[in-house]
Every structure is written in C-alpha cells, then in structure tokens.
Amino acid sequence: MSTLDGVITGIVDAHLHQWNPRSTPWAANRLSKLYRFVPAFGDRVFSMAVSQADREYVLTPSTVARVYEPMQYLGDASAVTTIAGVPIDTVVHMESHWRSDETAGRAESPAGRSAVEETRYVMGLPFGVGQSPRLGAIVAHADPRSESFGELLDEHSALTDRVRGIRWITTRHPDPKIRNGADVDGILASTAFLKGFAEVAERGLVFDAFVYSHQLYDVVTLAREYPEVTIVVDHMGAPVGVFGPVGARTGATAGARADILRLWRERMVTLAACPNVMVKMSGLGLPVLGYGRERWGNIGSRGTLAEMVGPLIDHVVGHFGADRVMFGSNFPIDKPNAALDMIIGALVDLLASRGDYVLAKAFRDNAMRVYGIE
C-alpha cells in the first residue's frame, strides 16, 4: 500500500477538536450537561435520554463526555506513522462551540465571550510536548451577525497570533430528526452576516464553513460577495444520508441517495468556480453521512471506507484541483466509525494514483499555506 514516506515530513491535521467537559463550558445546554454524567450510566441511558438527531450525530456518549486533549489525540495518532510512513506533526484546532450559562442570555451571545475563553484554554494545552503534535493554528468561534463581532475577533487575536480564522456553524436540515447546528436558515447569505463578514476580510482571516450539502449555494453567495477571503468548506459539504438512512426519512431509498449524491455533485461544481473556496477532506467517518447506527462502528476497514468515499474524493479533487484541498480528521467526532490511521490510510490510497504532488498538497502544504502555519 502507498505511504507518505519521502513525500512530506509530517501530516497536518487541519480539523481537530479539543475539550474537557469536566471543567469547561464547551456547550452548556441540557444535552451537554447530561453528557457530563453519561459515563456513570452507560450507553443505555444515553439512548433513552437524548434525541435521535443527537444519537445519530455522535453515535456514542464517550465521544463528547470524556476529556479529549493532546494526550488522548496522541493515543489515537500512535499508529499513523506505521500506516502512513510519517507522523502527524501539526494540528489546527477547530472551535468546539463553547457557550456558557453565564453568556447565553447576553446581547453578544451566541458569539459569546466564552468562545474567547476557548482560545485561552487551547493555548494552555500541552501541544508539542513529547511526541504530541504542535499547534499550528486556531480557528475560533464567532458570529459575524453579532454587534460585538469585531471586538471578539480582536480579543481572540490578543491571546495568540495563532488565530488564523473563524467558524460559525450554520447546518440546518429539513428532516426534523437530523441535528441542526443553527436556529435559522440561510445565515451565510443573510444581510446581517454579509455585513459583519467585512470584519473577517479586513483582518485577513480564513472562514471555515460547515453546512449540509443542500446549503452549499449559500457558500457560493458568500464567496462571490467576498472574493478576497479564503473560505474552507468543512467535511466536503456533508451530503447527509448519501450512504444510508438517517433521521426520519433522509437517504431511506437507493433513489433518494442517488439524488443526494447528484445534487451534491452539481453544487460542488458550482462552488469550484469560486477560486477563493477550498474543500476540507474531513468528516470521512461522519455518522450523519449514513454509515449506520451501531455505537461500536459502522465502516469496518480501510478498504471499505475508501470504496465508499472514493467517488466523493475523486469529484472534489477533480474539480477543485490539488491546490484547493486539505485533510482533516474531525476527531474525535469521527472516532466511533473509523480509527485515525484507517482514515488517513484510506485517503492515501485514494490519492496515491494522482502522484506525490497531490499527496503533499492535501496532507501538508495547503493547510500550512491557508492557515499561515510557520
């Protein structure tokens, strides 16, 4: 099997989450409060106490109930060198949507100054200690619709020069049993968002967009309005249900799944015409793609994963090109379905035939350039 040995010195994981639910308000709502106590009750209580949307999104409570910091990530990454020939040596921390009870009712929420505390927390983690990868960049949490948006960006940047971008999750789905990350539709194309987004452009920041595939035209609107801003589409545009049924009815038949794939392809082609848009080959094991509902995993092998995501990867690389794609693990969200070395191995297998240039760009060079990693 192909490896990255001799191609790059180390992998950049451009999409990593870190949290400690025992001591940080990374998502203070009823569900997250339950998560903090779930390990004491087990999966049985989890399956009865939370919605189908949340169960299908994380599969198992251990994903979010337990501490996930550099030590835990290093354990997950320990087999990567054996599989890929090189280690993961740099990571980009992706915001994890902190929102504390103290800020939930304030005017500046949902941007929330607790998000600034997330940046402070990340800077205090032991990245680069021992064999742990170094922290290359941070993509922080902030809402361009907020009146205090510019101030919040400055507060993030005052803590560290590693803040290179922001993300505001805008996922919404018409299926009522698929998890929403936003409370209204069309945020990215809204007047308030587009007006506030000028602060991103002025500061030269990157914007990570997490939308579901039917929302991709909103990203097109944003990209055309701000052609000077680099926009990174997370999780390849997340075609929910493309591999199997999720929610109440999404992807329930072969015909429905074919339609999801077809519409995703069309929207990605349109998006590729915007030269300031990149695609993150992340979320390869994202449960809501429709892999299945078993808590112990639903993919099984590197070969199976490569076979399933292969058409998506080929379409993305074929239309966006080597200079506009990058790898991200989306750990620990994808962990229940696929080990980190399995994800990387499958992606190496899919890209190897395109040559060392594509491998180097996808696994290191593009992330280093886009997120300004030294």
Side-chain angles (χ1 to χ4, degrees):
M1 291 186 178
S2 302
T3 73
L4 299 172
D5 186 24
V7 179
I8 54 177
T9 57
I11 297 167
V12 177
D13 182 347
H15 203 101
L16 171 67
H17 300 291
Q18 300 276 269
W19 54 57
N20 186 337
R22 299 173 186 170
S23 61
T24 58
W26 67 273
N29 52 41
R30 178 180 175 274
L31 182 60
S32 64
K33 288 177 181 177
L34 175 64
Y35 283 166
R36 296 185 186 190
F37 298 100
V38 158
F41 297 100
D43 282 353
R44 182 177 179 183
V45 171
F46 173 74
S47 64
M48 293 186 295
V50 304
S51 68
Q52 176 183 337
D54 287 310
R55 291 198 308 272
E56 289 186 345
Y57 194 82
V58 301
L59 290 184
T60 170
S62 64
T63 304
V64 291
R66 298 174 182 171
V67 175
Y68 199 77
E69 293 182 340
M71 182 179 297
Q72 288 74 31
Y73 180 73
L74 181 59
D76 287 335
S78 61
V80 168
T81 303
T82 301
I83 293 295
V86 297
I88 297 172
D89 66 8
T90 306
V91 298
V92 175
H93 178 268
M94 183 60 53
E95 62 88 17
S96 301
H97 203 169
W98 280 29
R99 185 180 179 187
S100 68
D101 289 330
E102 290 75 19
T103 63
R106 295 182 185 174
E108 65 265 25
S109 293
R113 284 194 164 81
S114 65
V116 177
E117 294 306 310
E118 180 181 17
T119 296
R120 191 189 309 275
Y121 156 77
V122 172
M123 288 305 300
L125 293 175
F127 288 105
V129 176
Q131 297 183 16
S132 176
R134 64 172 177 146
L135 176 64
I138 294 173
V139 176
H141 177 80
D143 183 359
R145 297 171 300 172
S146 169
E147 292 182 2
S148 59
F149 178 58
E151 297 174 17
L152 290 170
L153 294 182
D154 292 341
E155 288 184 38
H156 281 294
S157 297
L159 291 174
T160 172
D161 61 1
R162 294 183 190 177
V163 173
R164 306 294 163 75
I166 68 159
R167 182 173 76 154
W168 185 250
I169 296 174
T170 57
T171 51
R172 293 274 296 174
H173 204 282
D175 188 322
K177 293 191 175 181
I178 289 176
R179 189 175 188 268
N180 292 325
D183 55 359
V184 294
D185 294 318
I187 290 176
L188 296 184
S190 68
T191 301
F193 191 96
L194 292 173
K195 180 180 178 181
F197 201 78
E199 301 281 359
V200 178
E202 289 175 7
R203 290 164 175 78
L205 295 171
V206 176
F207 180 70
D208 267 67
F210 181 20
V211 298
Y212 292 144
S213 58
H214 65 279
Q215 301 174 293
L216 284 169
Y217 286 145
D218 287 347
V219 182
V220 172
T221 299
L222 180 63
R224 289 174 176 171
E225 187 74 16
Y226 287 95
E228 72 274 32
V229 176
T230 297
I231 298 170
V232 181
V233 175
D234 292 344
H235 313 328
M236 298 188 295
V240 174
V242 70
F243 297 136
V246 291
R249 58 187 180 275
T250 301
T253 67
R257 294 190 289 276
D259 282 343
I260 291 168
L261 180 60
R262 176 180 57 81
L263 292 172
W264 172 83
R265 286 178 178 273
E266 291 175 359
R267 292 179 175 111
M268 292 300 278
V269 169
T270 302
L271 200 56
C274 301
N276 57 322
V277 175
M278 299 193 62
V279 175
K280 193 173 288 182
M281 296 181 292
S282 56
L284 301 189
L286 197 65
V288 292
L289 295 185
Y291 286 113
R293 297 182 172 87
E294 301 299 339
R295 295 188 298 272
W296 49 83
N298 300 278
I299 297 174
S301 72
R302 171 176 172 175
T304 299
L305 178 60
E307 182 178 355
M308 295 186 78
V309 302
L312 304 183
I313 297 296
D314 286 345
H315 189 70
V316 164
V317 179
H319 286 278
F320 284 82
D323 293 324
R324 296 168 62 193
V325 296
M326 68 177 81
F327 160 72
S329 70
N330 195 37
F331 258 49
I333 296 297
D334 287 17
K335 182 176 178 178
N337 266 339
L340 184 51
D341 57 292
M342 187 174 104
I343 292 172
I344 291 174
L347 190 54
V348 170
D349 292 344
L350 290 168
L351 297 178
S353 63
R354 295 179 180 267
D356 289 353
Y357 182 83
V358 174
L359 289 171
K361 291 290 184 177
F363 281 101
R364 186 175 184 85
D365 296 352
N366 290 341
M368 297 282 284
R369 169 176 56 85
V370 169
Y371 292 115
I373 300 171
E374 297 179 355

